Structures are given as structure tokens and as C-alpha cells.
Amino acid sequence: MTDLDALHAALVERLDTDDTIRAAFSAHPRHRFIPDMIWPDATGLPLFRTAEPDRWAGVVYGSGPVTTQANDGGGGPRNEPSSSSSAPQLMADMIAAAEVREGMRVLEIGTGTGWNAAVLAALVGDEGEVTSVEIDPGVAAQARERLQGTGVRVLTSATPPSGEGFDAVIATCAASRIPTEWLNAADEDAPVVLPWSPHPAVHSTPIVVLRRRGRISAGPFVREAAFMRDRTQRSDDPPFPGLGRSPDRTSDLPVGSTELITSGLMTRLMLVLPDTRIGTGVRPFDGGHGRIVWLGDEGGSWAYVWPDGTATGGGDRLMDEELANAYRRLKNTGFPELSAFSLEADPERDLYRVACSAMDRTWEHRVSP
């Protein structure tokens, strides 16, 4: 029989965080918040604790997220995550970024399993308050049951409660259009920690810490992440850029797709290339298959970067050239870390400005309403 408490103790010990946050995790074992049925893979059947308890425990006490609901509780050819337990280290990093401490009033957006809310409740103590909102009634009900005795208030809602001010806000779902309700729920200059990307169909959703000053909220990016979308901002996956089209041009780039993918630059390229979707895929290459970096826009322009450093593309925009210039700018400034980038959000105008202090540049991202 797997010793779940021992596995949880090992998980807590692995966390790279301070002793206060580690103690809060220690007080709430993860397995008490994970349902018996989970989805360990993108395809295939779910995993049941009763059928494979050791495998279930291995997934729960791994370092990654655990998908606890797929396809909004329905079926489909793929197990698209619609509710989950976030990766423990990511949870700890977001809590640290929110500067949660005893006595604070904290709002969580996206209750999920309730584990993150329980950890927050341990940190704020009896003098503090944790409110968590969850859009899915079934998920909210299950979390409410697991959180009994923690003092956490779980609300079934798509938006925060109105008329209440919080000392910190943590969102566990990603946004492109940051809801003004999220920002206004925080007191002036209080941290709002959330995953953001300029386009709802991209994988990368880096974590940013915003503080509201009047209409504008601004702050630094603090780490990489890939969160599922806020359900009110989901979009159908657009067609794969350039699929079935012959390229208009071929060019040579200063870097190939393999280096771009393994170097960790994809998020930073996303931030410095406005009006551009960027991602990775697999295409026939050199007698086999190779990973490519693809780019596309709403006007139909596209480009593929291949492992050998060549690029093919089509449409009005020279997207291969834009990527090459962005890469050179990053290289010429020593490939600034993500922490050198910041976001200024003006949701009322659907305008988001990304700045990089090391590059002394700003990029405007228009996000469609």
C-alpha cells in the first residue's frame, strides 16, 4: 500500500520556497483534494484510484498538474483539461508573488480542487479570509466539501463578488482580455497574480503580477506557465497557419526551430511579436519528421521555421523576417530573462503594452473584445 502521507512530505520537501509557504503546503496533503478519477494523458481512458491506486498516487505526487475534469465533464476525442490541480511549484511561486501573509483577505479566481485555497487559508490564518470563485457548479460543490473546516468561502460564479476589496488576487486560469472585475477586486496597489497571453489560442501563458493605479494596472512577468483558459474567453482553435498552401518565399534565419524551442525563447518571442500567433508543430522534414516553429496572423500570413534554419512562408506580412529581427534584438541584448519584461494593462481600451527594460523597447498588443 502506497504511503500517501510520506509522498506528500516528499513533495513539500522538494518545493523551492520559503518555510512559511512550505508549512502551509504541509498542512494540507494533496491527495485529500484530488478526486478518485483523473485524466493522466491527453487521450485514452481516465485513471481510477480504486483500480490502480499506486499509479494514481504516482500522478498525484508527481511534479506536474493533475487534470481532474476533461471536456467540461463530457466526452471527446481528446481529454481537454477543463479543471485541474496546478503544479505544486507553480502554486508556491504564485503565492509568493502575491505576498500572501497572515491576516490578509485573498481572492482566488478558479477554485478547482480547492487545494490552492486550502494552502492560502493556512497562510492567512484565523485573522484572514480566503474567498474563491468557481464557474463550474459541480466543481465548486466538490471543492466546498473538501474545504470544510478551512474557513474558505467558495462562490459559484464567473466573477468576483462586487463591493469587496482584497489584499491580493490570484487567478488560476489564463486571460487575454483581463476582466476589469479581477483588477477592481484588488485594493489599490495590491498584487493581482495571473496568467496572461495576447492571444487566446497560444499555449504559453506567463505569470504577471499587476498592481492597479487608477485605470492602468502594471507589473512584471515572474515565470513561465501554461494554464487553461478562463471559460468566458475560450476560442475555437483557428486553422493551422499555412496548412495546404504553397510558400511564396524561402529565407535563411539566424536560428533553427530546434534551438528556438529548446532555448526557452518562445514566450519572449510571443511578447515581442504583436498581432502574431506563435507555436510549435511537427512536419515532414529531411526524410522523416521535424519540429517546426510556426507563425500566423488573422490576415492569413504565415511562416514556418525549420530545424536547419530555413524558413518558408506566405501572405502579405514577412513573418519570417519579423521573427529573425526579433531574435537578433533578443540576442544583441543578451537574451533578457522573462523577469526583464513587464505588462501594462488598459482593459477598458483592450490595450496591453509589453516593455523590456533590458531592450528599452515597448510593444502594443491589441486584444480583441
Side-chain angles (χ1 to χ4, degrees):
M1 180 69 69
T2 302
D3 186 340
L4 293 174
D5 288 331
L7 289 176
H8 181 70
L11 180 151
V12 172
E13 185 63 28
R14 292 196 304 270
L15 291 175
D16 181 12
T17 192
D18 64 45
D19 290 342
T20 302
I21 294 176
R22 188 175 287 109
F25 273 87
S26 182
H28 294 286
R30 192 184 199 187
H31 61 266
R32 297 180 186 174
F33 293 87
I34 305 297
D36 288 350
M37 183 175 69
I38 59 177
W39 280 260
D41 301 303
T43 58
L45 297 174
L47 168 61
F48 290 89
R49 180 179 184 178
T50 51
E52 299 181 79
D54 290 342
R55 184 182 172 212
W56 181 91
V59 175
V60 170
Y61 281 110
S63 298
V66 179
T67 299
T68 54
Q69 185 196 71
N71 304 312
D72 296 336
R78 290 179 55 84
N79 301 323
E80 297 292 346
S82 51
S83 189
S84 70
S85 172
S86 301
Q89 186 61 58
L90 177 55
M91 287 172 55
D93 291 345
M94 292 178 70
I95 290 169
E99 301 175 1
V100 176
R101 60 188 181 274
E102 192 170 357
M104 288 179 61
R105 298 159 300 154
V106 179
L107 172 67
E108 177 191 46
I109 299 167
T111 313
T113 66
W115 187 38
N116 191 64
V119 173
L120 291 170
L123 284 166
V124 303
D126 293 339
E127 300 301 315
E129 299 176 358
V130 175
T131 297
S132 186
V133 296
E134 170 59 51
I135 194 172
D136 187 301
V139 172
Q142 292 173 12
R144 201 174 284 118
E145 182 177 341
R146 297 186 192 105
L147 286 164
Q148 288 182 7
T150 64
V152 174
R153 176 177 57 152
V154 178
L155 304 178
T156 305
S157 176
T159 57
S162 60
E164 299 185 32
F166 294 90
D167 301 310
V169 176
I170 298 178
T172 62
C173 51
S176 293
R177 292 175 286 105
I178 301 175
T180 55
E181 295 89 348
W182 293 12
L183 300 172
N184 292 337
D187 288 341
E188 187 91 357
D189 210 36
V192 179
V193 181
L194 61 96
W196 180 83
S197 71
H199 195 286
V202 298
H203 178 72
S204 178
T205 57
I207 305 300
V208 65
V209 183
L210 301 177
R211 295 177 187 271
R212 179 172 56 84
R213 297 179 179 91
R215 195 187 72 202
I216 305 298
S217 296
F221 289 95
V222 295
R223 63 156 294 161
E224 301 273 2
F227 273 86
M228 67 188 69
R229 294 283 161 177
D230 174 71
R231 293 194 187 187
T232 66
Q233 295 192 29
R234 289 175 175 170
S235 66
D236 295 332
D237 288 336
F240 195 91
L243 192 62
R245 297 169 60 185
S246 298
D248 298 335
R249 56 187 173 273
T250 301
S251 61
D252 292 318
L253 300 188
V255 63
S257 58
T258 303
E259 183 180 343
L260 284 177
I261 295 167
T262 59
S263 64
L265 287 175
M266 293 294 291
T267 295
R268 281 166 281 177
L269 286 169
M270 175 188 75
L271 294 176
V272 304
L273 289 169
D275 305 315
T276 302
R277 287 192 299 122
I278 182 169
T280 63
V282 177
R283 283 289 178 270
F285 178 76
D286 198 23
H289 288 84
R291 295 188 71 188
I292 67 165
V293 171
W294 55 259
L295 301 95
D297 70 3
E298 293 184 358
S301 295
W302 61 280
Y304 297 163
V305 182
W306 300 90
D308 62 0
T310 60
T312 53
D316 296 333
R317 284 177 62 186
L318 303 178
M319 304 193 83
D320 49 339
E321 184 176 314
E322 292 180 29
L323 182 138
N325 289 335
Y327 176 82
R328 290 189 185 99
R329 286 195 295 269
L330 288 166
K331 182 177 180 180
N332 291 341
T333 48
F335 297 113
E337 296 294 330
L338 183 61
S339 57
F341 291 79
S342 61
L343 178 67
E344 182 183 278
D346 185 354
E348 293 181 13
R349 298 170 58 197
D350 296 312
L351 177 61
Y352 300 83
R353 293 186 180 90
V354 172
C356 179
S357 55
M359 300 173 72
D360 194 26
R361 289 183 63 95
T362 301
W363 301 267
E364 288 195 357
H365 292 264
R366 290 281 178 180
V367 176
S368 300

